[in-house]
Amino acid sequence: MNTWSQVADIQPLASKIITNSMEKGRISHAYLLQGERGTGKEAIALLVAKSLFCTAMQGIEPCNECNNCKRISSGNHPDIHWIEPEGLSITKEQVNHLQKEFSYSGMESNKKVYVIKDADTMTVNAANSLLKFLEEPSKQTTAMMLTENSGSIIPTIRSRCQVIDLKPLNPVHFQKQLLSEGMKEPDAILMSALTNSLDDAFERIGDEWFAEARTRMLQLVEMLAAKSENVYLYLHSHWLTHFKDRKQLDQGLDLLLLAIRDVLYYHIGNEANMTIFKSGNAFLEKSAMAFSQERLSDILNLILQAKRKIKQNVQPTLVMEQLVLQIQR
Ligand SMILES: [Zn+2]
């Protein structure tokens, strides 16, 4: 999304709020953009930055061709600073460093923009440092805070920002987009359930790791359905060796979630919405025999709990062993 009119296609309200304030010359000094992955948070932050620095604006649209626009696209503009978590959180040191940078005047003008990705991961100390910064806004500074998890932004920060809600993307719309870009239908159906980003979808579908992840997830479901005693052994020899970091573990659980949801859909006659299996799949029928509808709903909740624990940094071996234990109970 390189223009406000493209943003307006998927986020009409956000686009309108921001472009209106630009037209009136009253751009807010701090925005909090909240929305799921793929809803356009970074694209909007980039567009705000371009709109502030572009030297050849066409109405409300930045030109995308001038030196400033190009440097912003490639992440090389000296007056635009990006902060993202180092490891699991954004630290006070990162915020202090930013403040120091901002105490100098702009490299090329007096305008400066900072973008804080995953703003919900700021530590309490980092948030307090940032707060001081937000309390003394300079006219020329624009903050863009991005988050998927708006509940974790402390109220004192939230109240100093203009909060913009991004609406979730429509999966069917995204599926069509994937198909029109040449993805095969079964892949497009699966990917639209896993991500909202075109790049991410194509990257994963061509990735050997992802193909293997899918195979291993199916093996796990098969063992769970058969109440196999070897499932713990499998966790250690095949699951934890493939899903190594938190992101991969989360992706593994996402796949498991979709497969179990399919089994539930099969039970309730909602096969049109299945994402992993096709109707008539023998493996699907076998799994459906193994679990009741009620049990499947429980299992979906257990998987969601496991995802939360992974996010909260609980030991992965523990999370997976508990999950399997609870599913087989
Ligand atoms: Zn430009």
Side-chain angles (χ1 to χ4, degrees):
M1 293 191 289
N2 279 324
T3 62
W4 288 111
S5 67
Q6 284 169 347
V7 170
D9 281 343
I10 64 160
Q11 298 294 353
L13 190 61
S15 166
K16 198 164 179 123
I17 291 172
I18 300 175
T19 52
N20 272 353
S21 58
M22 284 191 319
E23 277 173 321
K24 290 179 189 148
R26 284 204 306 241
I27 192 115
S28 176
H29 68 87
Y31 287 100
L32 175 61
L33 301 177
Q34 54 190 37
E36 291 167 18
R37 190 173 52 188
T39 45
K41 296 184 290 295
E42 284 185 35
I44 292 173
L46 279 174
L47 264 174
V48 168
K50 284 180 190 169
S51 303
L52 288 167
F53 286 96
C54 177
T55 53
M57 289 287 284
Q58 291 145 4
I60 54 160
E61 301 285 8
C63 73
N64 281 306
E65 275 165 22
C66 71
N67 192 18
N68 279 347
C69 281
K70 280 185 180 159
R71 284 189 298 172
I72 291 169
S73 293
S74 61
N76 288 321
H77 196 288
D79 291 325
I80 295 166
H81 298 259
W82 290 78
I83 294 193
E84 52 191 307
E86 280 176 3
L88 289 168
S89 49
I90 293 173
T91 62
K92 187 180 176 197
E93 286 68 38
Q94 286 176 277
V95 175
N96 287 347
H97 180 74
L98 180 77
Q99 275 160 319
K100 210 171 155 197
E101 290 280 320
F102 274 71
S103 63
Y104 311 122
S105 59
M107 299 280 274
E108 298 186 2
S109 67
N110 283 321
K111 279 183 244 168
K112 277 170 179 282
V113 172
Y114 58 100
V115 185
I116 303 183
K117 285 168 75 174
D118 297 320
D120 52 286
T121 66
M122 272 188 284
T123 63
V124 176
N125 285 336
N128 284 331
S129 285
L130 183 71
L131 196 56
K132 284 184 214 142
F133 204 20
L134 289 174
E135 280 167 344
E136 309 157 0
S138 119
K139 269 189 194 139
Q140 307 274 14
T141 301
T142 307
M144 309 283 311
M145 275 172 266
L146 321 182
T147 182
E148 287 175 29
N149 192 0
S150 57
S152 310
I153 304 279
I154 59 171
T156 39
I157 287 202
R158 166 179 291 276
S159 65
R160 284 174 176 80
C161 297
Q162 178 164 10
V163 180
I164 296 183
D165 281 305
L166 301 177
K167 60 174 194 165
L169 293 188
N170 173 347
V172 175
H173 178 83
F174 186 58
Q175 249 173 54
K176 282 188 190 144
Q177 215 180 338
L178 290 170
L179 289 172
S180 73
E181 299 274 337
M183 192 175 279
K184 289 185 201 138
E185 193 173 16
D187 292 341
I189 291 171
L190 173 61
M191 281 303 147
S192 67
L194 286 173
T195 178
N196 289 320
S197 144
L198 268 184
D199 290 345
D200 191 25
F202 276 95
E203 199 181 300
R204 286 207 228 175
I205 212 68
D207 179 20
E208 277 174 39
W209 181 89
F210 182 79
E212 182 60 28
R214 193 171 159 163
T215 306
R216 291 190 189 203
M217 179 279 293
L218 292 174
Q219 283 167 347
L220 181 65
V221 175
E222 192 167 15
M223 295 179 101
L224 290 170
K227 298 209 179 339
S228 165
E229 287 173 2
N230 293 327
V231 67
Y232 291 95
L233 202 65
Y234 185 81
L235 273 189
H236 288 273
S237 62
H238 284 79
W239 195 270
L240 295 161
T241 50
H242 189 67
F243 302 96
K244 289 180 187 144
D245 58 32
R246 276 169 210 288
K247 192 175 157 207
Q248 292 181 341
L249 283 156
D250 191 53
Q251 290 185 1
L253 288 171
D254 276 342
L255 283 170
L256 189 62
L257 195 71
L258 292 180
I260 297 292
R261 200 179 65 179
D262 275 9
V263 182
L264 180 63
Y265 282 166
Y266 178 81
H267 258 289
I268 61 177
N270 188 7
E271 289 169 61
N273 283 328
M274 295 194 305
T275 50
I276 301 263
F277 298 109
K278 276 195 180 156
S279 302
N281 182 304
F283 177 68
L284 173 69
E285 288 174 22
K286 223 162 65 185
S287 308
M289 300 275 276
F291 300 109
S292 68
Q293 280 181 36
E294 203 185 353
R295 192 70 198 122
L296 289 164
S297 309
D298 291 343
I299 295 172
L300 288 175
N301 278 322
L302 292 171
I303 299 171
L304 289 171
Q305 275 173 27
K307 275 170 64 73
R308 276 198 292 274
K309 286 183 197 156
I310 291 289
K311 207 164 185 182
Q312 289 161 357
N313 228 354
V314 181
Q315 230 275 315
T317 313
L318 190 68
V319 175
M320 289 307 299
E321 282 183 351
Q322 268 183 353
L323 175 64
V324 164
L325 181 76
Q326 287 169 318
I327 291 178
Q328 292 208 315
R329 184 176 284 161

